[in-house]
Amino acid sequence: MAAMKPRTGDGPLEVTKEGRGLVMRVPLEGGGRLVVELNVDEAKSLEEALSHVTG
């Protein structure tokens, strides 16, 4: 049986390469994490979109 861990949003944003894709784990306010799997093209599009709003 797996150990139960508290679901908190504490911790850094993480991006890891898994297989052919990238897995991004985003801590959420109120607990838990949003987990998104992206391919390289999607990651580049996300980078470009974020660069427009962050300066």
Side-chain angles (χ1 to χ4, degrees):
M1 185 165 149
M4 297 296 288
K5 294 182 182 177
R7 296 183 140 209
T8 66
D10 295 341
L13 172 104
E14 298 174 336
V15 179
T16 57
K17 184 170 179 152
E18 295 185 14
R20 298 174 117 183
L22 304 169
V23 176
M24 178 173 61
R25 293 173 180 86
V26 181
L28 299 174
E29 216 171 290
R33 288 182 168 248
L34 172 67
V35 179
V36 180
E37 186 172 355
L38 305 161
N39 62 37
V40 174
D41 292 333
E42 292 168 330
K44 287 178 183 177
S45 294
L46 177 60
E47 178 184 28
E48 184 179 318
L50 290 172
S51 71
H52 290 297
V53 296
T54 58

